[in-house]
Amino acid sequence: MRCAVLFHLLESSIEAVVAWQRWSGPSGGGGQNSPRVVHLCSLNFSRIKPDFRSANSNKKEHEKKKVKFHTKKGLWTKEEDRLLIDYVKVHGKGQWNKIANRTGLKRCGKSCRLRWMNYLSPNIKKGEFSEEEEDLIIRLHKLLGNRWSLIAKRVPGRTDNQVKNYWNSHLRRKLGINDQNEKRVYFRQSSKQVKAGDDHHQAAVDPSPGDGITSTETIEITVDQSTQQAIDHRVLNDTQESMASTSYMTTSWIPDADYELSTLAMTDHFNGYSSFDLA
DNA sequence: AACCTCCTCAACCGCGTACAA
DNA sequence: CTTGTACGCGGTTGAGGAGGT
């Protein structure tokens, strides 16, 4: 019994760390996607530039205005698609900003990339989501939250945009989630900081559909110091074990995505099924 | 048939990091 | 170190279609 509780707390702790990573980034949403790295024991902020936004904003405004006069917006026509497909056949993916010059297509590079990645690429599966895909998305979302790119990487043939849209239009309603009553669970730790410099020791965890918590409930779990140390120790050991066969151990730096997929495997283990089923 | 409402999803937007010059 | 460019991500928007009245 005590063991089961410990595992539960351990799982919660892992999810809290993942959630904190997700929630602690600079506001605006974009920063959590690129290959950010986290330190195994102490999270390191040195790679995050303090005020990069202001440095870039003027330049980007200028860029935006410049582009606005020349680029077309809105839905793509078949002819535009054909031009883009022909371009990729010849030049491959990348260099999206050069497409306009090379093909006469009046679209910005960003738009071209998006069109290819989300629609034209032959690897994309179209049509209805299967029950297996749906189940997979639900489970992955439970663990990773709105990290659509990470989720999409584990749903073959589906793009982050497809997964995101499917979640927002189908699964949210199916699971009874809406903006007003999205569940948010808080873990309070009495003696151990989850987040560097955070005196309140709180980490918000994404809503977990189907976990039996009603929509308006808030759960607070208080963990005493010794228990927390045991959890920390166990988390560290298990994480290191899971990484033991990889080169990550040589530096103890882990790419963000791999860290989370490792976490996924661990939590799957505690849930009673293997993450290999997910692939 | 006309109008309205709701839903879906492709596309846009803002912001982030990486990297080369 | 700064600047410019490229690329990637999540949140949001809005056109267009479906269904109801």
Side-chain angles (χ1 to χ4, degrees):
Chain A
M1 178 63 181
R2 201 163 38 166
C3 190
V5 169
L6 182 62
F7 277 159
H8 177 73
L9 291 172
L10 173 58
E11 184 177 349
S12 302
S13 175
I14 294 163
E15 291 191 0
V17 170
V18 172
W20 173 78
Q21 284 178 243
R22 185 163 56 238
W23 284 73
S24 63
S27 61
Q32 49 204 222
N33 322 312
S34 301
R36 186 162 51 90
V37 290
V38 294
H39 194 277
L40 208 57
C41 305
S42 61
L43 294 149
N44 186 310
F45 301 92
S46 63
R47 296 173 67 89
I48 301 172
K49 292 181 183 176
D51 195 13
F52 197 85
R53 186 197 302 189
S54 57
N56 268 351
S57 58
N58 288 342
K59 168 190 66 189
K60 285 181 177 176
E61 276 301 309
H62 175 70
E63 207 173 291
K64 202 170 85 179
K65 281 174 191 168
K66 197 174 71 179
V67 160
K68 242 177 187 172
F69 290 105
H70 301 97
T71 58
K72 187 188 164 190
K73 289 184 183 179
L75 295 178
W76 282 63
T77 64
K78 284 185 179 176
E79 176 61 16
E80 287 175 319
D81 282 347
R82 193 186 57 74
L83 283 171
L84 183 54
I85 290 168
D86 288 348
Y87 173 86
V88 174
K89 271 182 192 167
V90 175
H91 298 94
K93 288 188 283 183
Q95 308 273 299
W96 301 107
N97 284 325
K98 293 177 182 168
I99 293 177
N101 286 339
R102 291 180 175 177
T103 67
L105 193 56
K106 290 182 170 43
R107 296 278 184 171
C108 67
K110 204 170 181 174
S111 182
C112 293
R113 176 190 159 273
L114 204 69
R115 183 64 179 171
W116 178 262
M117 297 294 199
N118 284 341
Y119 196 80
L120 296 177
S121 171
N123 300 325
I124 294 171
K125 192 194 286 183
K126 287 162 187 168
E128 297 279 306
F129 278 68
S130 66
E131 276 187 32
E132 288 77 19
E133 287 176 316
E134 193 177 298
D135 181 52
L136 182 53
I137 290 168
I138 291 169
R139 285 157 59 192
L140 287 167
H141 186 271
K142 184 176 179 179
L143 290 166
L144 298 175
N146 295 358
R147 306 187 74 172
W148 308 115
S149 179
L150 276 179
I151 293 172
K153 280 172 191 164
R154 295 179 74 84
V155 185
R158 300 297 186 179
T159 70
D160 55 348
N161 214 26
Q162 280 179 310
V163 171
K164 180 171 59 180
N165 283 332
Y166 190 68
W167 176 268
N168 286 331
S169 60
H170 293 87
L171 297 181
R172 283 172 75 97
R173 190 177 316 117
K174 189 172 180 178
L175 298 169
I177 301 167
N178 60 47
D179 291 336
Q180 284 71 39
N181 68 2
E182 269 212 16
K183 289 168 281 188
R184 183 163 299 177
V185 183
Y186 294 94
F187 291 88
R188 173 178 293 166
Q189 298 179 327
S190 61
S191 59
K192 178 76 177 177
Q193 290 187 0
V194 169
K195 174 177 164 184
D198 181 356
D199 292 337
H200 302 294
H201 317 315
Q202 285 192 340
V205 175
D206 258 13
S208 305
D211 58 8
I213 302 165
T214 62
S215 61
T216 54
E217 277 179 332
T218 295
I219 290 182
E220 290 189 351
I221 299 173
T222 302
V223 183
D224 66 31
Q225 188 164 1
S226 58
T227 307
Q228 183 59 52
Q229 282 170 351
I231 291 168
D232 289 345
H233 184 68
R234 184 67 187 252
V235 168
L236 180 59
N237 283 347
D238 283 4
T239 308
Q240 286 176 337
E241 278 170 26
S242 75
M243 293 293 170
S245 61
T246 74
S247 61
Y248 298 130
M249 279 308 294
T250 58
T251 61
S252 76
W253 283 82
I254 307 168
D256 205 9
D258 293 336
Y259 178 79
E260 282 165 11
L261 292 177
S262 164
T263 305
L264 179 63
M266 291 165 67
T267 50
D268 283 351
H269 173 72
F270 295 129
N271 282 340
Y273 47 72
S274 163
S275 66
F276 295 109
D277 296 334
L278 299 171

